[in-house]
Amino acid sequence: MSSSAAVLFPSLLALALAPACDRTPEAKANATPPPPTAASVARAEKPAEAPKASSYQLAGSARVVAIGDIHGDLNALRHALKLAGAIDSDDRWIGGKELTVVQTGDLLDRGDQDREVLDVIEKLENDAKAAGSAFIVLNGNHELMNSSFDFRYVTHKSFSSFDEYRGQAGAFEGRMPDEQRGRAAALMPGGPYALKLAPHLTVARVGDSLFAHGGVLPAHIEYGLDRLNSEASAFLSGKLRALPPALSAEDSPVWTRAYGAPEVDDATCEILGRVLKEVGAKRLIVGHTVQKGGITSSCQERVFRIDVGLSAYYGDNPAQVLEITPKGTRVLSVSTPGSTGKTSQSAGPALHSSP
């Protein structure tokens, strides 16, 4: 990293040097003053030079399979993709034109293999495109945290996997622990691995399903879903000086837990109905909040929560993914915890929604 980069990202450097926060897992770092909410940002004037938007609306396919948080566990990624029918035992993409896979973010942190996960994801995205399939990966809060130098949930082994980039982190010398400098250089805005994340969307409608890591609220639609995607990409690619509050606030699409509770109240379901009507979708699919008993739904199956703690960090949980077809939705689950790829489409909870 050059000295000019230190000038370009002063607020990020300040965060990198701040003391670690000991709040509960996935809590946000303390900020003074607190950031504006997404709702307040929605009422702000649009910047004069807003990044060019890319559409959040994507075509679906005969089968759409949704995968939740991976958190640095390459085996978890493989098990989920095998369960989806996307790859074989040699990591070769076998999904045909009828398959679209959507992963809802949080590839990074907690596990030791997040660099390997990013490398495999990049290969499979290209392989899927070549095969006429689609592998759509969203950015979660942990991707944006890492590019903001928030390394509270990074393991020692995962730090060391980026050691080859230490030489590009001269501006961090003496400012952060030596073991962190390689990761900082790789994942800083405009860094080689941040550039791998930059093309990923933050919110996507795939066919008749809306996807986000945390969720979508009316304020996000008012702000602009394409604008959210464009600004996240611009930040990761180093074209935007700082992460906008609309992407960093507690009620942003990557942080909100409005839909994550075991029981979603009627008022929240009414808000969800407004969101789905506005974007022309039948359901919202989110990760972010671990569902200890497997994939769950609320609001008459208009929201599905698919973070089932796939990473070994959360224990030996059976892999589950959500399949969406014109006939409705169902959970695909491995037959038993610890299974290495044998699947049973009738095992575990089954969810069925109207087409």
Side-chain angles (χ1 to χ4, degrees):
M1 179 178 173
S2 66
S3 59
S4 61
V7 176
L8 183 58
F9 306 114
S11 61
L12 300 183
L13 277 170
L15 179 56
L17 304 178
C21 178
D22 60 0
R23 292 169 64 186
T24 55
E26 296 208 25
K28 294 196 62 184
N30 291 320
T32 304
T37 64
S40 65
V41 174
R43 294 188 291 270
E45 290 185 359
K46 196 170 184 177
E49 296 183 4
K52 184 179 180 180
S54 56
S55 178
Y56 73 94
Q57 301 180 63
L58 304 175
S61 59
R63 289 182 70 236
V64 176
V65 178
I67 298 173
D69 304 31
I70 298 299
H71 281 305
D73 190 328
L74 184 56
N75 284 333
L77 175 64
R78 286 170 168 153
H79 290 169
L81 288 170
K82 288 176 185 176
L83 189 54
I87 64 170
D88 63 16
S89 57
D90 296 316
D91 289 349
R92 290 179 298 207
W93 187 269
I94 58 173
K97 294 181 179 180
E98 76 285 353
L99 177 64
T100 298
V101 174
V102 183
Q103 197 281 326
T104 55
D106 276 10
L107 301 173
L108 302 180
D109 290 347
R110 305 193 188 283
D112 292 335
Q113 300 170 310
D114 46 9
R115 180 177 179 180
E116 292 92 333
V117 166
L118 292 178
D119 290 340
V120 169
I121 288 280
E122 181 182 33
K123 174 185 178 298
L124 291 176
E125 285 175 311
N126 293 327
D127 291 348
K129 184 176 181 180
S133 307
F135 188 8
I136 300 163
V137 180
L138 304 185
N139 285 312
N141 59 307
H142 282 262
E143 281 70 57
L144 299 180
M145 287 164 67
N146 272 261
S147 284
S148 301
F149 308 124
D150 185 343
F151 296 151
R152 287 172 291 158
Y153 307 111
V154 182
T155 68
H156 291 292
K157 187 173 181 180
S158 191
F159 274 127
S160 66
S161 69
F162 290 94
D163 279 351
E164 68 186 85
Y165 295 98
R166 284 188 187 182
Q168 302 176 28
F172 298 114
E173 187 171 0
R175 293 173 171 264
M176 66 168 57
D178 186 58
E179 74 162 355
Q180 297 184 11
R181 291 170 56 206
R183 188 180 186 93
L187 283 161
M188 64 172 283
Y193 274 80
L195 290 175
K196 296 177 188 288
L197 298 172
H200 295 166
L201 299 178
T202 301
V203 178
R205 194 195 76 189
V206 181
D208 59 5
S209 298
L210 182 64
F211 294 85
H213 180 65
V216 179
L217 301 171
H220 305 148
I221 296 173
E222 184 181 354
Y223 187 83
L225 301 185
D226 286 334
R227 181 181 172 191
L228 286 164
N229 285 334
S230 186
E231 290 180 347
S233 178
F235 170 72
L236 290 164
S237 61
K239 298 176 182 177
L240 201 61
R241 289 177 61 94
L243 191 64
L247 288 163
S248 62
E250 294 285 355
D251 58 352
S252 73
V254 299
W255 278 105
T256 181
R257 296 189 192 274
Y259 306 110
E263 296 296 331
V264 178
D265 61 31
D266 291 343
T268 303
C269 288
E270 190 275 332
I271 289 171
L272 173 62
R274 288 160 48 199
V275 167
L276 295 178
K277 182 178 180 180
E278 186 70 24
V279 302
K282 291 183 177 180
R283 63 191 69 85
L284 170 67
I285 298 169
V286 301
H288 191 44
T289 302
V290 175
Q291 308 296 304
K292 294 181 179 179
I295 291 174
T296 62
S297 70
S298 286
C299 303
Q300 298 180 317
E301 297 189 351
R302 289 181 296 168
V303 60
F304 288 86
R305 298 164 294 224
I306 64 169
D307 180 2
V308 295
L310 287 171
S311 173
Y313 172 88
Y314 294 103
D316 190 19
N317 297 323
Q320 288 188 342
V321 300
L322 183 68
E323 180 187 65
I324 305 149
T325 70
K327 295 181 179 180
T329 62
R330 64 174 176 172
V331 172
L332 308 184
S333 177
V334 296
S335 54
T336 57
S339 172
T340 57
K342 294 182 180 179
T343 65
S344 171
Q345 295 184 345
S346 60
L351 304 175
H352 302 276
S353 66
S354 58

